Each structure stands twice: as structure tokens, then as C-alpha cells.
Amino acid sequence: MKWGVVRFPGSLDDGDSLYAIAEVMGQDARMLWHKDESLGGVECVLLPGGFSYGDYLRTGAIARFSPIMKSVAKFAADGGLVIGICNGFQILCEAHLLPGALTRNRSLSFICQRVWLRVENASTPFTRAAKQGDLLRLPIKHGEGLYVAPEDEIRQMEERGQVILRYVDADGRESDAANPNGSMRAIAGVANQRFNVFGLMPHPEHAVEPMLGGVDGLKIFQSIAGSAR
Amino acid sequence: MSERPVSIPGEPKVDLEQARAHGLAPDEYRKIEQTIGRTPTYTELGVFSVMWSEHCSYKSSRRHLRKLPSKSELVVQGPGENAGAIDVGDGWAAVFKIESHNHPSFVEPYQGAATGVGGILRDIFTMGARPVASMNSLKFGSFEHPRTRYLLGGVVGGIGGYGNCVGVPTVAGEVMFDAAYNANILVNAFCLGLVRKGEMMSAKARGPGNPVLYVGSATGRDGIHGASMASAEFDKESEAKRPAVQVGDPFTEKLLIEACLEAGKTGAIVAIQDMGAAGLTSSSSEMASHGGLGIELDLDKVPLREAGLTPYEILLSESQERMLIVAERGREAELQAVFEKWDLHAVVIGHVTEDQRWRTRWRGQVVADIPIGALADDAPIYDRPAAAPKIQPQTKPAIAAKHPETAKAIRALLDSPNIASKKWVYRQYDSIVQSNTVLGPGSDGAVLRIKNSRRAIALKVDSNPRACALDPYLGAVGTVCEAARNVACAGARPVGITNCLNYGNPERPEVMWQFIRGVEGLRDASIAFGAPVVSGNVSFYNETEGHPIPPTPTIAVLGVMIDVAKHVTQFFKNPGDVIALVRTAAPSIAASEYAAIFGIDGGRLGAIDLAREAALVEGLVEGAEQGLIKSAHDIAEGGLAVALAEACFNPRAILGAEVELGRAGNADAVVFFGEGASTVVLSIAKRDAARVESLFAGRGLEFAVIGRVTAEPRLKIGAAAGLDEDVAELQRIYEDAIPRRLRGGD
């Protein structure tokens, strides 16, 4: 599969994402520049973590207007696979490629720690290498990861299986203490209705080597790699 | 040949009084008049006042810093550039430095700390190195002091707010609370970068006629006289200095990092320097002076945030995220293209000259014209009087009277914010970006892998002001030993040191004495470990209304590991492993957290045998390289009992320990909670115990098996009189100490 990692000014996990896909997974991956409109024929676009354009307005609010996002929106409309991690998730919400929004953490502070996640839907291109109910250990690192959406919309998303990942404790149970940022329904990752766009706050690219805290992130990338059209 | 510089209409008159208001001593003002042969213009006076400030000139410290060893076969760059560099193998050089941002952080904690991070990052990428890790050392007043929570929240927020946004992980640090810092906190920021050997950039201007480029943010009025603020004591008016604190823009810094590193690859950069303290003035004069050349700047070309800035303001502004570059003539456009790609200014504002003068023009007229040497090497150097204080610290031995019960004591220690988990702090820092953090915060030291290499770097920052207050020499020696030992516990060999020397007013003889003794301690320890001091920073005038801080040399040690897979953590691993102690001397409660909490006179510091310290470090590294050591934890604040508890707090699953202290006396507080001596708690597979023993005994060190790791999570020390505690309960105290205080609980 051919991957493209978008580099916005202020992207931070762009290099780590490229490293995970190209060096660790051995996939064909390249960097895409925010000022370009061409996606260079990639089959999956990854929007990485960071603070695009400084995020001085609202996270992701400026990045959605960048030239490359036009192409990403078109690519997604054509059914192309798009994954947004952390800031990438925020950008996808701002661009209305995903429902809901990400707001300030309940604690009002940045949080960097490992969390447990439960796979709620394993029949998507982003989770097919996992099984429903599988627990993943991934790091989060964000200040604005509290997922919100209108109650009605969340209910429909739940029914359609668009809630892909949820924060849980080590035993796979939901609890207030296991919800690090106060997200509604402990939502950590969602997909669009077509299941070709996926956004998540945890960082799978930071969990691909045993020495650096585990390999659970590979499940996500392997799922995508196995979904080549 | 030279035009006489003109004054700007409306500027204040320059005289002795004006010079004094700028912080210049009468002798210094006379020396300025002598050097330039006339009365300086107001602009020139401002320039001299910052360049001759303690912060920029090191006028009180320079002659003493020369004593520090700065050479070894691994040193790629010693003091003299923006940061030092050490060869870490496989073609990589580690560029690193630590720097203070104490005064601004006390006045405006968020921006003060944030710009401290920004400044030290620029020192690193100026060298052509990609910043790969940050650390910090923070000293606050007592937790009960009304201002402490505000300062803690602001400083931690600022470090995170800046560091998280530039994509450099904050991998380690230390935080201490002590009433001695109630009115003068310390914020010391460290950064490490990596660069291919031979691709390092320099701050030495070359080639008369070469253009000077200004890159990065536009210049505003922020931070004017920041360097001067850092060169004076605090008083009641210090609050009013808030406008002298700069405001950081980490997004622009991130762009600058990428743009500067990319621009470096063009080969068109002759020299590069960040605009730190004293902004455009110091960066331009230092680059010219390092190259033995002159420089001419046209201030009308400097990008400004607002109209109406005077030359004085433009030259002294400490607006952040700005760099100055000397380019190869004719290749300006190549560099400008790179900066344009990153949406940054890159404007030619002057050129290098042959005449060794620092000349600036504004609206067509010369407004400053000063021999370059006067701003750099010919700045005043003082040999300030030094004298040991008349009242020596207490020298009585420990009193055994008021010792609390052991069970009570360990709980109180684990609940002390100085010992307790700092998770509340480091959880606010991105510690994993760049995918190199093998061991991050919450461990003795950090371990970073080097991609495409088996090698790794270990880092640790330490300070011990209580010991330095008792004996500034031994305290400094002990601080280096502690940092080196921590790096060795991880399995890395210490190879380089950077230091941030925080002291009071050097015009006081007893402060000068503390400083000199500190430097001597640093020198002796550095020699003993063969780890030269390649960079550093001095912060004087850390005092408020006549009360200096305790001497606080902050030491960061960099270690190199041959094989990252062999790194060792502080946590016990397997039930049944033997627990052993290896040490260089007997413990003592002098300067200990135990003595501080319970108000016990700990007596004086024990002597330190540096040969044994070096042997301990060597033994630890060898043990790790041979894969014989399962865990290694340095005994620090709280002594052996706390070290054992911490080793049980394995994040995978807590374990227990059963320890007998034999002849040492089971209920002796000194044995349980004493610090001071270099002691390491090891856990070792049973079959390897004899080999590890010979590793240390062969080096003349005391080695004793004291117990074993247990699956049952209880910490049992001593047969009858000692301790028998639930590890989970101890961990709860340890984890909750700081959050509980911040919640406002008792």
C-alpha cells in the first residue's frame, strides 16, 4: 500500500508516523506538503499529530483551509482511506469529514500517558486486524481531546458502529477514572458513515516497537495495509 | 574613516547618572568613555549596559570557569560556541547545554519558563543539531507558601506549552520545594541535540563582505533589558518588571528549527547565532568577535512588529524566535528560498566588515560605532573578593533524640513533595515525540535510543542545595557524583557534563566564596569521572531583599550506552532475585530530606572519595554491559527505605522486598533514611550474585546482599524492630502527595 503523511507547519508526529509505516512496517510511504494539492497517487492519507499552524485559533481550524485539505476531502469523497491522529483527528472534525468536535481536556491540562482502549468495531478498514473487544495499549498526548457531539448524533453513531475506540481500564471496563480527558461516552476514535475516514486521539505510531512501550499500534496500521483496494 | 554616531532627538542625556540607572558602575562608565574616546550615545550606552551585564559578560565568573576541564578525546566542541558537543559514536555528536531562566520565571512564570525552553532549544539547533530531548530542574518555595502553587502551575504550564508545541520530548527533570526559594525560584532548562559529526554549524563570522541575514519573528518591544534584569537582585519593584519578560511563540520556533536545519544543508551558511539575551546586539557582536572581524547593520531593514521603534529598542529587544545568519556572498537567495518555504522572514540587514568595529545605521546615519572587542573580550572581568562565612554551618553529629517511629517516618517521607511522584508535573509534558524515549520521566534518568544505531544516550539532571549550603565544595562534588551514578545505574558511561551555576549576589564575599568552592568541586568531580564540562551557564543575583538562595549548582550528565538493549531500570523485576547494596561510604543524615522534615540536625557532610565514586560508576556500567544487573536504583532523598519502596513500584506490577540489615542496626534512622554516601540498590538473579559481587569487591567497594525480591507486595526491612508495610499503600501515598496538596486537602 502507498501511504502519504501530510506535513503541516507545526506537525510534530509526522516524522514518527512516517518512521512507523516505512521503517518499522516496511511500507511505501512518503511525506506530503501542506501547500501542495497533489496526493501523489497514495492509497491512504495520514494526518499526523502536532499543532498545525500553531493551533492558536482552534485546534485544526486553520489546517482545514490548507491547499492539501481540498485534495484530502475529494480523496475521502471518492472513498480513499484517511486516518487522522490527534491533531489530524481535530483537523478531520473541523473539515467535517468526521462528526463531532474535540475540546479542552476535563483537567484543563495537557496529558501524556499510556491508556487502555477497547476496539468497539473490528469490521472497519482501520481495525480489521483486531477483534471486537480487543484491548489496545496506546499513548495519548493532547490538551484538547475531549470528544463531544450532540446526544442524538452520538446515539446514531453508536448504532451504526462509528464509535471505533473507547477509553477503558486495564480490565476493559468503562469508568470515569479510565476516561483520561472526559470525552462523551469515553470515545477515543470515530469513523465516518462510509468507514473510510477514521480519527483517533491516541497515537498508534508511538506504539510500534517493544522497546518504546509496546506494539499495539501496529494493529491499526496492519489493518489499513490489509485494506488495499 | 568613521562617522561620529549621532544621538536621536528626544533621547535622554548620557552621563554617569544615566549609566548608573542602566546598572553600570562608575568605573565601568569611565572605561566605556576611555574605550571609545568620547561620551557614548544613548543607544551605545544601552548596548554597553547589556553586553557588560553579568548575564552576558560573565564578568564575575569568567576567571573561575577557566578552571573547569573541557577536554577529552570525545569532546567535539568545548565552551565557546552556543553549546558543547561530545562524540557519542556511530558518527553522531551530542550537542547539549543547560541554562537558567530564573528571574523571568519568577516575574511571569508561564512565559518565563516557556521562553527558557525556547532559548535553550535555539542554542542547540544553532549548532546544526536537531533538538531531541529536553530536561529541566525546578526549585520552588515551600508548598505552603502562598505563591508556590501559582508559580508551579505557571512554570510547568509554560514548559509544556512550549516544549509540547515544538515536538521535542521532555524526558527527565527534578522538582524541589524548599522555603529557601520562596522569593527566588529556579528554572533551569536543558536541551540535547544530535548532529552528524562534521555537519556542525558555527557562530564564527567569516569573510568580509558576506551578508548578514535576519531570520524568524519580527522585532517588538518585548524583553528589553531582560539581560539586565537577570543581573540584579529582586526587590519590591520586581513585579513591575513583567514587561521585561519575553513572550514565546513555539509555533514559529518549530518552523525555525526545520528551516534552519534545512538551510544548513545548503552549505550557504557561514555562521549562525540565535538572538538570545541582548538580542540583535549580542548575536551580531559575538559572531563578529569570534571571527576577529567587524559587522555593520542597517536597522531600517530589521522586520518590526510596530512602527516607531528606536535604534535603542531594536538593538536591545529580546523578542523571541529570531536568528542571525552570515551567508556566503551570492547565495542569499538559496537561503531565503528555504525560509520562505517555512513562511519566515529572511532579510539581509548588514554585512561582515574587516575593521573590527560594530557599527549600526538608522535612517542613513550611524547611531553606534564601537570597537568589537569592547563588547566582547574586553568587557570588564572581576576578581571579586571571596571569604568563607564567619558562622560555619552546624558541625555537631546527629542527635538521636527526636527520631520518629520508622513506619511513621517512611510515610512522611513518601508524602514529601520532594520525594513523592512528580507525575502531576511530567504528565503535562510530551515525553515520547520523536520515537526515541526508551526510558522517560519517573525513572532515575532518561534513556534515548539513537535511530539506526545500537547506541543510546542516558541523561540526568541533579542538584543538592542543602548539601551545598553545608559545604559548597562537597555539595558540588556530591551533585556530580549523583548525576553520574544515575546515568551509570541505567547502564551508560558518563562522558560529558553541562552545568547551570545558580548563586546569590557575587558582590558579597561569602557568595563569591560559595561559587568558587562550587566550581572547584565541579572541577574535581569532572576530572575523576573523565567527563569534561563542555557547556554551561552562570546565574548570579538569585536573591530577594538581601536573602540569597542556597548555592545551587545544577549538573546535567550525559552518558553513552553501547547497546540500548542492555539498559537497566530502577524497578525490581522478578521475585526471588537477590537485593544487594553497593556503596562507597557509610550513610549519613546530613542535608537529608529526613533531617529537613523532622527538624533534626544532621551534622556535617561526610568526605567523598572520588576514586571510589568512579569505581562504582565503572562497576555499574560493566555489570549492565554484561547483563548481570536486573535493576539499579540510586539512594537519594529518603535514603535506603525510600529507595527500596520506589524499586517495588514497578509500573507493570508492584513487587515486595524482604531485607535484613544485619549488623548495621535494624532500627537505626541513619541506615534507613540516611543519604549522602553513594549507595546503589541492585537486584540480581541469584545465579549472578557472586559475579556481581566480584565486580564491585574487586574494585574495593563495599558490597552486601541484604535481601530478596518477593511476589507478595510488602516492604519488610529488619527482623523485628523494622518495617513491614503494604507496598500498594506506600505507593498510594507516593502518588497522591502532590495532587492531594493541589486539591487543597490538608
Side-chain angles (χ1 to χ4, degrees), chain A residues 7 9-13 16 19 33 35 51 53-54 56 109-113 139 141 206 209 211-212, chain B residues 164-167 249-251 254-255 340-343 427-435 437 449 451:
Chain A
R7 172 178 263 193
S11 287
L12 303 177
D13 304 289
D16 298 332
Y19 178 84
W33 184 238
K35 290 181 187 172
F51 292 77
Y53 301 89
Y56 288 136
S109 56
F110 188 95
I111 301 174
C112 174
Q113 67 177 55
K141 49 187 189 88
H206 286 292
E209 292 172 277
M211 188 170 60
L212 302 187
Chain B
N164 297 345
C165 199
V166 292
D249 172 8
F251 171 60
K254 168 67 176 166
L255 302 183
E340 196 177 319
K341 172 183 163 188
W342 292 97
D343 302 320
R427 203 170 83 131
Q428 299 186 48
Y429 305 146
D430 181 345
S431 55
I432 59 174
V433 67
Q434 297 198 26
S435 298
T437 312
R449 64 115 173 253
K451 289 198 184 88

Side-chain angles (χ1 to χ4, degrees), chain B residues 571-632:
Chain B
F571 303 110
F572 292 143
K573 301 290 179 307
N574 305 101
D577 286 347
V578 301
I579 299 172
L581 269 191
V582 54
R583 66 184 178 196
T584 61
S588 115
I589 60 166
S592 67
E593 184 69 20
Y594 179 84
I597 287 185
F598 298 110
I600 293 166
D601 176 5
R604 79 166 89 186
L605 299 177
I608 297 175
D609 181 339
L610 278 168
R612 289 165 71 85
E613 295 293 328
L616 172 62
V617 159
E618 203 42 51
L620 287 167
V621 174
E622 212 171 287
E625 283 175 350
Q626 293 175 22
L628 299 174
I629 296 175
K630 287 217 187 160
S631 74

